[in-house]
Amino acid sequence: MSTDDTQAARGPARDALRDPAPTPVPAVGADSPFRREHAARDEAPQFVLPLVVRIEKAAPPARTAALETAARAVLVLLTDERAHGEGEWAEAVRDWQDARIRKVVRRARGAEWRKAGTLPGVTVRGEAAPRTSAPASPEVEAEAEVRVFPPVPLDGWPKELAKLQVSGTDLDDPEPVPPAAPGVPVLWLNPDLDMSAGKAMAQTGHAAQLAWWELEPAERAAWRDSGFRLAVRTAPRERWAELSGSGLPVVRDAGFTEIAPGSCTVVSDHPALRARL
């Protein structure tokens, strides 16, 4: 199951940005709906951000590639010109951000995937997982593909998406995943949580979004210009306490599916944010 919403946890430096103050609030993270003035988001009409991952039976994507592509897809939608100002998606995005930041990951293949591609949205493609040896079969792994759609009401899904399955998103990495390249933002997964790929995709999407809200304009522009380069890795157990308590943005799950409420699922380790700790 991959229906999800989230709350954010921050260290003392981040908490200061969330407190009402008589002086202007700093620009960093100023558009984050997790600020306290958005405490009424639970009473607002609820929207979800739909993401559909392509999983063909003969050639599913690698798990890590799918997670990274889902995180990038969220950032691509947030920066799409249609999501801002008077853009055609802007009202839906504003309504979504004023409520709980829910994301739903579904899977599609074949005709279902092609039909989903006819709806307004953006398809983001990743890469096949790096290999250290030749695959046993030429059709065991595909490039990761995720299509993200503008937010929809919780009970108002387009029929083409409503019928897609949320189960069956279990994916594997064909080989051990190498360390992230130096200088690349890393979304660190909690090593003590067992999440389905769909659940983890939603969580990494949250984490990318939290990092985006905390960046200054120039830092956002640099990330966007890189194609939102990022890595998803499982944190070493011996580092998780340090990471989750460092003051970097942390995703805390609302507990609707799979894991207990309040569980810390992902830490957003962007170099620009780490430099300010």
Side-chain angles (χ1 to χ4, degrees):
M1 185 73 70
S2 52
T3 303
D4 199 27
D5 75 352
T6 189
Q7 298 176 337
R10 298 175 175 84
R14 300 293 183 267
D15 288 338
L17 299 178
R18 302 173 66 195
D19 292 332
T23 54
V25 177
V28 178
D31 54 350
S32 170
F34 294 117
R35 296 163 57 81
R36 286 185 182 169
E37 57 264 36
H38 290 262
R41 66 185 184 276
D42 290 336
E43 288 72 46
Q46 297 297 301
F47 287 73
V48 297
L49 185 75
L51 297 105
V52 175
V53 56
R54 184 179 185 182
I55 302 180
E56 301 289 347
K57 287 184 178 179
R63 179 184 173 96
T64 295
L67 268 56
E68 292 173 346
T69 305
R72 289 176 50 235
V74 171
L75 296 170
V76 167
L77 181 124
L78 288 174
T79 56
D80 193 290
E81 62 182 10
R82 291 168 288 186
H84 298 277
E86 300 301 318
E88 60 188 285
W89 301 344
E91 183 176 0
V93 171
R94 286 193 295 268
D95 288 343
W96 171 59
Q97 292 189 142
D98 283 343
R100 299 191 72 89
I101 309 303
R102 303 189 71 167
K103 297 177 179 70
V104 176
V105 178
R106 297 178 183 262
R107 63 175 173 85
R109 62 172 62 99
E112 293 175 333
W113 173 256
R114 292 189 292 273
K115 189 171 293 186
T118 66
L119 299 178
V122 182
T123 297
V124 177
R125 294 177 174 84
E127 298 178 351
R131 290 183 177 275
T132 58
S133 60
S137 166
E139 293 186 339
V140 295
E141 179 194 337
E143 175 187 59
E145 292 183 79
V146 174
R147 188 164 180 84
V148 59
F149 303 86
V152 299
L154 187 60
D155 57 355
W157 283 67
K159 64 180 186 299
E160 294 88 348
L161 301 182
K163 65 182 182 181
L164 298 178
Q165 298 295 313
V166 296
S167 60
T169 56
D170 291 326
L171 300 169
D172 297 311
D173 285 310
E175 293 188 358
V177 180
V184 172
V186 180
L187 308 179
W188 293 106
L189 298 169
N190 186 334
D192 296 319
L193 294 179
D194 184 16
M195 295 185 285
S196 68
K199 178 75 170 182
M201 289 171 71
Q203 297 293 305
T204 55
H206 294 331
Q209 195 166 356
L210 291 184
W212 179 255
W213 279 323
E214 294 295 334
L215 294 174
E216 296 178 353
E219 295 163 345
R220 291 181 175 184
W223 202 11
R224 183 178 60 244
D225 291 347
S226 77
F228 295 117
R229 193 179 180 205
L230 57 82
V232 174
R233 297 292 185 268
T234 299
R237 279 188 168 82
E238 64 273 16
R239 287 198 62 202
W240 179 249
E242 178 268 322
L243 284 166
S244 59
S246 64
L248 292 166
V250 178
V251 178
R252 290 186 183 276
D253 189 63
F256 289 139
T257 61
E258 296 195 22
I259 57 179
S263 298
C264 297
T265 58
V266 191
V267 173
S268 303
D269 192 355
H270 191 291
L273 299 181
R274 180 168 286 278
R276 294 203 286 270
L277 294 179

